[in-house]
Amino acid sequence: MHSKYYLLVAMILWCAAVSAQTEHHLYVDSHTKTSVKRNRFATVSDALRRAEAFADDSLWTTIHIAPGVYWIDDPDDPAVRKPEPGDTQPYGMKVRLSRTRLVGTGSHPDDVVLACNRGQTQGADGNFTMLHITGSDILAENLTFGNYCNVDLDYQLNPRLSRRRRADAIVQAQLVVCRGDRYEARHCRFISRLNLCPFAGARSALFYDCYFECTDDALCGTATYRRCRFTFFSSKPFYATSPQGAVFDDCDIHSKVQGVQYLTKISDPVIMRHCRWTSDDPNLTIAWTPKPNPKKLCLMEDCTLNGKPLSVPMPPDVPMAVTMPLLPLVGQSALVAGRWTLDAFKPADTAAYQWEPDVSRPAWCFGEGVDGAEGCYGLIPNVRGARLMFTGNPDEHYPDQTLTVELSPCKSAGQGFGSATGQYLDLCIKFDTQTLTGYGLRFERTPAYDSAVEAVLVEYYDGRPRAISAPVECRLFKRGCRVTLSARGPVLTALIENAGRRQQLSAAIARPNDYGGIHIQHTGSTGASATVLQSISSTYEQSSN
């Protein structure tokens, strides 16, 4: 009797275990209908939602994905994706998972594609990210993760599923951001350009036999990359790495960069062993970072560049050159004739973007720029909306005025600002600082370009700016840019110069005035997206009342 009882209990437990294991295997196929009872799903999104139910289980959940293109976010929805409350960027999907495998069942990683096609200002307000995963122990195998905002989707198994990129101008278009530990990818492809973000945020990650396409600020800095392949389209694939350093082991790296290929934007550890570099530029130089810190150790062992031995040493451990710190400038915020005003302000035409000036700190600093403006000294915006104004004497008439500004943006590629979210620099003359009325030149980052800005002449009238010329592509808004803005009679002219190249804009002054003020407004982000104002000078042809 007792033996039969124990046998029955054992059979019940065995059946329960088999049932639990079966329950933890989910199957995705775009040609089927979703049936939760049968663990069959038509979309990867449906399967991920089901897998969330097992996030606290001790067993692993496996999602088997049949060949196809699975859009995590609807590419045909015209709505602009915005961050949810509490988020800083919009996501295609946020999930809570642990002990979860995502396995493509095709012959090659590009047979199963998890896709989206949105990026900053291109279908999204913010750095659009396909997936946000909270949890640990995540394994992806034989898959492609692709953000096809700026890259064409070429699906060989079924060309009808191919899709042209959303836009040519490269913007921040991300893949997977994580909050957890032990993320791993095997035989996977990660495709995007700016801010690729393959498992970014994971405390530790391993990529084995994977392929990556990216530009700057792209790779996971806490990862080991083993037997992986890379195509770098710009010079700094990492912003930073972990204190232990990102590791490349037995990897193949192809650089599309001309000149110098760096690894990190700021000095952080990188370890590279048995790696093979190739380059389109036969004279390419490989370097760790623009300003190496010898305390951030980087190691290279048994590496080659275009078949020749490659060794990139770190600088000796000697005291580094002292960099001038940013010195906050505390100036007056009141408008006083003949004086400069330093403050922060949100212009009316930035109302669509959610930010407010930080009034808790000085709007401007004096110091050295970074990146593209390294070695350039001058006034630097310290908060978004930094504004600098000179108030003319109300008892004087200023028929004509010329303003000359020498400046160096920190963005070296020529895009000038962090993103195309109402970020611009206005240089204005013939300006009344009381009513915010006058004329000027605007440099603005727009979705149309990723290595240029738009330049346009503007009129301010009672605080509201409007364009008075056709916007033109400008590739001169880089280090060493010189702007001469002139109002002579009824004509406003802007001459932009850089390294011997010139570009000129002109427009009619519809409402002539005798104001003599200057207005400089920066609505871009700060730090590596700021602009150094190296010199400002103005001349007048004055006449008394």
Side-chain angles (χ1 to χ4, degrees):
M1 179 71 179
H2 290 291
S3 60
K4 291 183 179 179
Y5 172 78
Y6 287 126
L7 180 60
L8 177 61
V9 170
M11 290 180 64
I12 292 174
L13 293 175
W14 180 82
C15 290
V18 171
S19 175
Q21 291 176 6
T22 302
E23 186 180 43
H24 283 70
H25 283 266
L26 314 180
Y27 299 88
V28 181
D29 191 330
S30 60
H31 298 96
T32 191
K33 291 184 178 180
T34 293
S35 172
V36 176
K37 289 184 178 180
R38 297 175 59 235
N39 286 343
R40 302 284 176 175
F41 302 89
T43 70
V44 170
S45 299
D46 288 344
L48 289 172
R49 284 286 175 242
R50 177 58 179 158
E52 283 189 304
F54 308 125
D56 296 323
D57 287 7
S58 59
L59 293 176
W60 278 74
T61 298
T62 301
I63 302 176
H64 307 268
I65 310 172
V69 176
Y70 298 89
W71 291 94
I72 303 300
D73 173 89
D74 183 356
D76 296 314
D77 184 352
V80 174
R81 301 293 186 257
K82 297 180 179 294
E84 295 293 330
D87 290 337
T88 59
Q89 55 202 29
Y91 298 99
M93 189 176 187
K94 296 178 69 175
V95 290
R96 179 175 172 267
L97 303 171
S98 286
R99 292 168 295 283
T100 301
R101 300 183 184 93
L102 291 88
V103 180
T105 62
S107 301
H108 304 283
D110 48 5
D111 291 347
V112 180
V113 180
L114 277 57
C116 64
N117 73 339
R118 298 176 188 270
Q120 173 69 272
T121 72
Q122 296 174 9
D125 180 6
N127 297 356
F128 184 83
T129 306
M130 182 165 63
L131 289 170
H132 182 286
I133 302 175
T134 299
S136 298
D137 299 304
I138 305 297
L139 171 64
E141 188 170 356
N142 208 36
L143 300 170
T144 291
F145 295 84
N147 191 324
Y148 298 97
C149 184
N150 308 131
V151 184
D152 291 340
L153 169 56
D154 182 12
Y155 189 67
Q156 296 290 328
L157 285 185
N158 184 355
R160 290 180 299 175
L161 299 180
S162 297
R163 192 180 187 97
R164 179 166 171 76
R165 57 188 174 271
R166 182 181 286 264
D168 292 333
I170 296 172
V171 298
Q172 296 91 335
Q174 305 175 170
L175 293 178
V176 186
V177 170
C178 312
R179 190 170 64 198
D181 199 4
R182 298 180 299 279
Y183 281 68
E184 184 175 345
R186 291 178 171 268
H187 318 299
C188 288
R189 299 168 72 243
F190 297 88
I191 308 298
S192 187
R193 289 294 183 265
L194 186 59
N195 292 24
L196 180 73
C197 292
F199 299 160
R203 286 195 289 274
S204 66
L206 171 64
F207 298 94
Y208 179 83
D209 191 22
C210 293
Y211 173 69
F212 305 80
E213 287 185 8
C214 63
T215 62
D216 281 359
D217 302 342
L219 296 179
C220 175
T222 58
T224 295
Y225 302 87
R226 185 163 292 132
R227 298 189 65 182
C228 291
R229 295 174 297 117
F230 303 82
T231 301
F232 292 157
F233 288 86
S234 64
S235 64
K236 304 178 187 73
F238 290 104
Y239 177 79
T241 67
S242 69
Q244 293 75 33
V247 178
F248 294 81
D249 182 22
D250 194 18
C251 294
D252 291 280
I253 306 169
H254 183 70
S255 173
K256 296 284 189 180
V257 172
Q258 300 291 311
V260 182
Q261 170 73 67
Y262 297 107
L263 269 297
T264 64
K265 183 168 286 186
I266 65 174
S267 188
D268 259 346
V270 177
I271 299 169
M272 188 166 287
R273 298 190 179 98
H274 318 301
C275 293
R276 297 156 295 278
W277 285 80
T278 55
S279 169
D280 291 348
D281 178 3
N283 299 313
L284 183 76
T285 298
I286 309 294
W288 296 114
T289 190
K291 296 182 71 173
N293 181 348
K295 298 186 183 303
K296 303 286 188 175
L297 184 62
C298 295
L299 297 173
M300 181 173 287
E301 177 185 350
D302 187 28
C303 295
T304 60
L305 171 59
N306 291 334
K308 299 179 180 179
L310 172 66
S311 177
V312 181
M314 284 292 291
D317 190 1
V318 297
M320 299 183 66
V322 176
T323 300
M324 174 181 288
L326 293 179
L327 304 176
L329 299 178
V330 181
Q332 63 179 25
S333 58
L335 299 176
V336 178
R339 303 288 294 274
W340 288 93
T341 298
L342 288 76
D343 66 0
F345 180 73
K346 182 177 174 64
D349 62 353
T350 65
Y353 303 99
Q354 301 302 311
W355 62 272
E356 292 295 333
D358 182 357
V359 297
S360 68
R361 52 189 179 136
W364 294 87
C365 288
F366 180 86
E368 180 186 3
V370 298
D371 294 343
E374 182 181 344
C376 301
Y377 296 86
L379 298 178
I380 304 174
N382 194 41
V383 301
R384 189 168 185 183
R387 183 172 65 168
L388 183 66
M389 296 190 295
F390 179 80
T391 300
N393 190 334
D395 297 326
E396 297 287 341
H397 294 283
Y398 304 88
D400 295 331
Q401 184 180 3
T402 298
L403 174 69
T404 301
V405 179
E406 295 182 355
L407 52 86
S408 290
C410 295
K411 289 288 188 182
S412 59
Q415 73 275 50
F417 306 90
S419 61
T421 53
Q423 298 197 27
Y424 60 75
L425 172 66
D426 281 351
L427 307 173
C428 301
I429 57 175
K430 302 292 289 176
F431 208 84
D432 177 27
T433 57
Q434 293 282 353
T435 62
L436 300 183
T437 296
Y439 292 87
L441 170 68
R442 171 172 294 184
F443 294 109
E444 182 171 9
R445 182 169 182 178
T446 73
Y449 311 106
D450 58 13
S451 56
V453 294
E454 279 190 352
V456 62
L457 296 175
V458 296
E459 178 191 35
Y460 273 75
Y461 189 73
D462 286 340
R464 296 195 171 274
R466 69 178 184 92
I468 58 172
S469 72
V472 297
E473 177 184 0
C474 178
R475 295 185 175 273
L476 306 182
F477 192 62
K478 300 179 181 180
R479 179 190 186 105
C481 181
R482 177 185 176 95
V483 176
T484 304
L485 186 64
S486 300
R488 297 191 178 278
V491 178
L492 178 70
T493 302
L495 176 63
I496 309 166
E497 302 173 278
N498 198 325
R501 294 181 294 165
R502 298 157 61 93
Q503 190 170 9
Q504 186 166 302
L505 294 79
S506 62
I509 296 177
R511 287 183 273 248
N513 65 61
D514 289 331
Y515 306 138
I518 297 170
H519 172 262
I520 297 175
Q521 173 78 66
H522 189 277
T523 66
S525 42
T526 58
S529 299
T531 298
V532 181
L533 303 179
Q534 296 171 265
S535 72
I536 303 170
S537 62
S538 182
T539 59
Y540 304 90
E541 293 183 9
Q542 300 185 16
S543 62
S544 300
N545 272 335

